[in-house]
Structures are given as C-alpha cells and as structure tokens.
C-alpha cells in the first residue's frame, strides 16, 4: 500500500548552523524508525550539510523549488542537476507561497514537475484553496483546475511518481487546521479527480499528503483517516522534538 510520508518544509528558515543544531536533536529520535518515510525540505544553502548529517539514517532531503530548464539565463533559479549534486531526492513544487508571492502558475508547476521527473527528483506538488474559495463553495472547482494544469500531458507512469500535498491556504501557518474529516473528504475528491484524469489503480497509488497547521497534537488523528497518506509540515518541522514525534506517530 501507500507508505506514510512525513515531510518537513523549513521554508526560509535555518542557517547551516541552525540546521546542524536541529539534526543533533532530531536524528537520534528517528534513527530506528522505518514505518514512515521522513523527508526534510530545507533551504538550498543547508542541503549539502543536512544530507551529510543524514548519513546512516533513512531520512531523505529535498528542496523547495526547481527550475524547468536544464541551465542557462534564469537568474535566481536552481537546476535539477544542482539539487541532485547536493543530495536532494525530493522537491516541493507549486507551494501556495510561491504561487502567491512569486508568480507560480499551474503552467509553471507543470513544467517544473516534468523537469523534476525527467531528472529523477520526486516532486511534491502542492494544491489548495483559499479561505474565500472554500467559503464560496469553490474548493472542488479550484482543485480540479490546479490538478488538470499541473498534470497536463502526464502518463500514468509519470503520475505514479508524484506526491501531492493538499494544503488549504487558510490552514497554513494560521493554527487553524482542517478537521480530519474535512481534509480526508477533500483528499478523497483529489483522488477521485485523478481517477477520472488517469485511472483508478493509478489514483490509488499516488500518495496525497495534508498540510496546514499540522502538529504533534493533531498528526495521529489526521493520519488515521483513510485517504491521508502523510503530512507536509511547516512551523512544527522546525522543532526537532515535535517533528520527530510526528515522524514517528506510528511507532
Ligand atoms: P504550517 O505547518 O506552518 O501551517 O505550514 C504548512 C506548509 O505550508 C507546509 O508546506
């Protein structure tokens, strides 16, 4: 079945020194845990360091963006080759903060995801509605558009390599978590949409994470739900003890 995945998104937090201090506390707490795949999506500057510090563990590292191009005149972007050289295995694509502040669109999300897969990086593609969209009962329409755009032209095989993170924007960094029932129902809808776009067996293979104010106190009830395969964790992933307790919620 789908292996649970708990991924931390450090966003623009932690210098190399902060990362080292984090790992000193975090590593021993998750060292023997095998039931969950654990990923740390860290700033580019910490990637190499964190990868080295993960040696001898099953913890994987990821980045928070990747260019759609191999190389060239793309000031401020980073290529898949560069990320792989630093040890990244995963990459977050289309986070709502990138959509909101940096002009990310469904089209660029599609191009970046294709590039990640072509270079054997595992994409964690983020989708989610705003509070206004949910209030206006537009959640399903918004998600449908985001999924159709992100995975346009994808084969079944390609889609099976993708991880999706459902992150309702109103729940990010607000302390207002979606209820487990709400999150599960929306993730079920995402899976149903994928089944229509591709096939049911493929949709059943794709891991879909929940993200948005997930923490040590609510991880278990969210992870208990039928369709929630993991979490993409922001704030709580900066706290080694709390994030370790989340990553080992099924210990
Ligand atoms: P918080 O866990 O801080 O709400 O952030 C969620 C998120 O955006 C993860 O990508």
């Amino acid at each position: 079945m789908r292996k649970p995945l708990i991924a931390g998104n450090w966003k623009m937090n932690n210098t190399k020194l902060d990362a080292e201090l984090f790992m000193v506390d975090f590593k021993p707490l998750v060292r023997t845990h095998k039931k969950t795949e654990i990923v740390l999506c860290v700033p580019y500057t910490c990637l190499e360091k964190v990868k080295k510090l993960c040696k001898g563990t099953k913890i994987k590292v990821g980045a928070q963006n990747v260019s759609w191009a191999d190389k060239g005149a793309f000031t401020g972007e980073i290529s898949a080759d560069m990320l792989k050289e630093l040890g990244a295995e995963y990459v977050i694509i289309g986070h709502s903060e990138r959509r909101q502040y940096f002009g990310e669109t469904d089209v660029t999300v599609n191009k970046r995801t294709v590039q990640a897969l072509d270079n054997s990086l595992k994409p964690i593609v983020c989708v989610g509605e705003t509070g206004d969209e949910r209030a206006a009962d537009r959640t399903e329409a918004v998600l449908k558009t985001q999924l159709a755009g992100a995975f346009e032209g994808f084969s079944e095989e390609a889609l099976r390599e993708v991880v999706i993170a459902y992150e309702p924007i109103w729940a990010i960094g607000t302390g207002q978590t979606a209820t487990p029932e709400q999150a599960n129902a929306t993730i079920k809808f995402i899976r149903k949409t994928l089944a229509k776009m591709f096939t049911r067996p493929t949709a059943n293979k794709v891991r879909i994470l929940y993200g948005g104010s997930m923490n040590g106190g609510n991880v278990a009830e969210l992870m208990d739900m039928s369709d929630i395969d993991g979490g993409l964790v922001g704030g709580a992933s900066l706290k080694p003890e709390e994030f370790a307790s989340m990553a080992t919620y099924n210990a």
Side-chain angles (χ1 to χ4, degrees), residues 7-11 92 95-97 126 165 167-168 171-176 210-215 231-237 246:
N9 175 8
W10 282 4
K11 308 192 180 185
I92 297 172
H95 191 279
S96 63
E97 285 146 19
C126 301
E167 298 208 316
I172 296 178
T174 57
Q176 196 193 338
Y210 167 77
S213 298
M214 205 176 190
N215 58 44
L232 184 55
V233 184
S237 77
M246 297 175 76

Side-chain angles (χ1 to χ4, degrees), residues 13-226:
N13 294 292
N14 287 346
T15 61
K16 282 204 283 183
L17 178 60
D18 296 330
E20 196 168 346
L21 296 173
F22 175 96
M23 290 306 290
V24 167
D25 291 337
F26 182 68
K27 209 159 72 164
L29 298 173
V30 300
R31 195 187 290 278
T32 56
H33 192 71
K34 291 197 182 80
K35 289 191 207 155
T36 319
E37 193 173 354
I38 305 171
V39 181
L40 291 170
C41 296
V42 304
Y44 306 132
T45 49
C46 300
L47 262 175
E48 192 165 26
K49 173 128 229 158
V50 173
K51 175 71 184 176
K52 271 194 193 133
L53 292 170
C54 288
K55 216 174 158 196
T57 76
K58 290 206 173 326
I59 308 166
K60 293 173 181 151
V61 299
Q64 300 168 17
N65 189 23
V66 63
S67 171
W68 57 76
D70 289 337
K71 60 171 164 175
F74 297 95
T75 304
E77 286 286 281
I78 192 154
S79 76
D81 271 353
M82 293 167 184
L83 294 178
K84 283 202 304 183
E85 187 175 50
L86 300 175
E89 286 181 61
Y90 278 85
V91 60
I92 297 172
I93 295 175
H95 191 279
S96 63
E97 285 146 19
R98 296 220 47 93
R99 295 178 190 255
Q100 185 180 355
Y101 304 125
F102 303 103
E104 200 75 67
T105 65
D106 294 333
V107 172
T108 56
V109 168
N110 178 281
K111 289 168 71 173
R112 293 185 199 278
T113 307
V114 168
Q115 179 72 352
L117 290 174
D118 283 351
N119 288 277
S120 314
L121 282 169
K122 294 193 179 78
I124 302 176
V125 176
C126 301
V127 295
E129 81 287 0
T130 65
D132 284 352
E133 288 163 346
R134 179 162 279 265
D137 213 10
R138 294 196 49 235
T139 301
E140 296 192 349
V142 167
L143 290 172
K144 247 189 193 166
T145 304
Q146 290 176 341
L147 294 166
F151 305 124
E152 194 192 332
F154 273 49
S155 65
E156 306 263 324
E157 294 69 37
L159 191 82
R160 287 175 191 217
E161 300 303 315
V162 169
V163 175
I164 295 175
Y166 166 58
E167 298 208 316
I169 295 168
W170 47 271
I172 296 178
T174 57
Q176 196 193 338
T177 323
T179 65
E181 293 73 22
Q182 238 174 1
N184 197 51
T186 313
I187 287 177
K188 267 195 165 160
F189 172 78
I190 292 173
R191 211 179 289 290
K192 190 172 92 185
T193 306
L194 296 176
K196 280 191 192 150
M197 289 169 61
F198 298 89
T199 59
R200 177 47 76 175
T202 289
N204 285 347
K205 283 226 155 66
V206 176
R207 286 185 294 181
I208 309 181
L209 318 181
Y210 167 77
S213 298
M214 205 176 190
N215 58 44
N218 58 31
V219 62
E221 53 178 13
L222 285 160
M223 292 301 298
D224 254 1
M225 304 304 290
S226 63

